[in-house]
């Protein structure tokens, strides 16, 4: 049996665009319409209407925290025009969480942008960082007295990679120089937002908040053990896993390290295409590991291996996302157990971990992959919008309650 600390945070995450529905003013919405993606987000899970019921379910599963994101395009549908009724909505979201003793962990940017911001050049222009800061100031002013944990930007490099290298997400550019500019702007936006949020709390005499990004980490390993592959693993590990965190740590702009962990990346440089060097994984079926329905390797040990290396930052860690899409709920139960064990082993090695948040509370819109991947510990019927608690959620609920895992 393993045991987690008494004050450990347990919960599940969502992101606004993936669950709320009808985010008409987001760049993604416009892009879905224009490009005709195979499945558009539409009403998503109608979480915008049903958030209280969803939080009741989280509470009934013994969660004590919940991660969600604010949809910027709702609160600022036009440049410099904030919609107070939408801000009230998110105030009510936070209040509803607090009423259920669910600690809110609030993400300010989770992949989507207001259309006007995207038209102004989005993250490709350093001038636009000020827009983000204005939005952050507004939200922190409205929610600050009830929020301790802020996540400024979700997975900056995942965003850059899909939107500016692969070009499969809006604005669908494929430019390495541009991706570098965007990455730098995201880092700069975080550092400035970090300082701004702390300043707002200080001015209002509120206890200091804890701020981070959500950093996606991958456990890279060479496919064939060749020198080339080992070099590529080294480069990816440095560039993808650590460079961004190093930069923020250098600026002392992290209070904890938010981590999203899903998979291993089996590195194969055959062909030497530039994108191979960046993030591509072996597509030749060499991996023997079990996979989720999107084909991602399931590799719990990777979490341990990465966490013990994160120790050098000397900051607490918060697992902000970890999950599996599957049609087999037993696989989800095993996934959670194995990753919790791996997490616990890292804690035994002295890694300070604040909590574990499963992705996701409910099935949702998995971006360009549509609604097919089922990540939820709660299922969603997209015809009736009915929610069904899965067995894996119940087993996880036991751990949330006791802090123990047999
Ligand atoms: C992460 C994203 C999240 C979700 C999961 C499956 O990269 O942060 O929105 O799509 O993957």
């Amino acid at each position: 049996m393993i045991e987690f600390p008494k004050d450990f945070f347990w919960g599940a995450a969502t992101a606004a665009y993936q669950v709320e529905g009808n985010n008409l003013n987001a760049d993604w919405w416009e892009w879905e319409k224009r490009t005709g993606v195979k499945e558009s987000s539409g009403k998503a899970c109608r979480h915008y209407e049903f958030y209280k019921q969803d939080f009741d379910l989280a509470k009934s599963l013994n969660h004590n925290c919940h991660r969600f994101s604010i949809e910027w395009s709702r609160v600022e549908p036009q440049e410099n025009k904030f919609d107070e009724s939408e801000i009230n909505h998110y105030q009510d979201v936070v209040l509803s969480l607090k009423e259920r003793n669910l600690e809110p962990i609030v993400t300010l940017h989770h992949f989507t942008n207001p259309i006007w911001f995207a038209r102004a050049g989005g993250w490709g222009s350093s001038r636009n960082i000020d827009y983000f800061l204005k939005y952050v100031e507004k939200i922190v002013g409205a929610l600050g007295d009830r929020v301790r944990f802020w996540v400024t930007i979700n997975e900056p490099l995942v965003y850059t990679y899909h939107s500016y290298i692969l070009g499969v997400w809006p604005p669908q550019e494929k430019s390495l120089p541009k991706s570098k500019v965007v990455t730098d702007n995201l880092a700069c936006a975080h550092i400035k937002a970090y300082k701004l949020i702390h300043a707002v709390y200080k001015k209002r005499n509120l206890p200091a908040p804890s701020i981070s990004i959500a950093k996606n980490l991958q456990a890279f390993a060479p496919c064939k053990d060749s020198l080339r592959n080992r070099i590529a693993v080294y480069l990816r590990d440095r560039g993808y896993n650590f460079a961004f965190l190093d930069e923020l740590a250098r600026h002392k702009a992290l209070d904890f390290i938010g981590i999203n962990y899903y998979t291993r990346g089996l590195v194969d440089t055959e062909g030497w295409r530039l994108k191979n060097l960046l993030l591509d994984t072996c597509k030749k079926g060499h991996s023997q590991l079990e996979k989720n329905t999107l084909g991602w390797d399931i590799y719990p040990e990777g979490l341990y291996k990465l966490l013990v290396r994160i120790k050098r930052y000397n900051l607490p860690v918060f697992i902000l996302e970890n999950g599996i899409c599957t049609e087999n709920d037993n696989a989800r139960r095993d996934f959670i157990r194995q990753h919790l064990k791996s997490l616990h082993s890292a804690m035994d090695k002295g890694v300070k971990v604040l909590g574990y948040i499963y992705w996701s509370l409910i099935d949702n819109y998995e971006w360009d992959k549509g609604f097919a991947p089922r990540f939820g510990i709660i299922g969603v019927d997209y015809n009736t919008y009915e929610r069904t608690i899965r067995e894996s959620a119940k087993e996880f609920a036991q751990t949330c309650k006791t802090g123990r895992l047999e």
Side-chain angles (χ1 to χ4, degrees), residues 9-59:
F9 283 110
W10 298 101
T14 60
Y17 195 82
Q18 294 177 273
V19 292
E20 285 181 348
N22 289 331
N23 276 311
L24 315 176
N25 295 308
D27 57 350
W28 260 84
W29 188 272
E30 191 265 338
W31 179 75
E32 286 171 25
K33 298 278 162 301
R34 185 162 43 82
T35 56
V37 282
K38 72 168 184 228
E39 238 174 345
S40 42
S41 55
K43 294 181 182 169
C45 309
R46 293 177 63 184
H47 176 74
Y48 187 82
E49 299 156 70
F50 300 145
Y51 61 99
K52 288 193 176 144
Q53 289 93 316
D54 289 339
F55 297 164
D56 283 341
L57 293 176
K59 170 92 196 138

Side-chain angles (χ1 to χ4, degrees), residues 67 212-217 245 256-261 303 306-307 310 317-322 357:
R67 178 176 173 224
S212 182
I213 56 166
K215 181 71 190 77
N216 181 286
L217 297 181
L245 286 175
F256 66 98
I257 300 192
I259 288 175
N260 296 358
Y261 175 76
L303 183 59
L306 287 160
L307 285 179
I310 288 283
V317 165
F318 205 143
I319 306 301
L320 296 177
E321 283 181 32
N322 174 238
I357 297 184

Side-chain angles (χ1 to χ4, degrees), residues 69-130:
S69 77
I70 311 259
E71 180 56 41
W72 180 7
S73 66
R74 274 189 191 275
V75 301
E76 195 180 358
Q78 287 171 46
E79 183 180 334
N80 290 326
K81 294 219 167 68
F82 287 93
D83 183 334
E84 293 299 330
S85 69
E86 295 291 0
I87 293 175
N88 291 343
H89 168 81
Y90 288 112
Q91 280 175 321
D92 195 53
V93 167
V94 168
L95 194 64
S96 304
L97 289 171
K98 295 291 260 191
E99 281 168 359
R100 289 162 180 79
N101 287 321
L102 294 162
E103 184 69 41
I105 294 151
V106 187
T107 305
L108 290 157
H109 186 274
H110 198 123
F111 297 160
T112 54
N113 303 296
I115 293 173
W116 61 264
F117 177 83
R119 288 210 177 120
W123 292 102
S125 159
S126 60
R127 281 189 320 248
N128 291 343
I129 293 171
D130 282 344

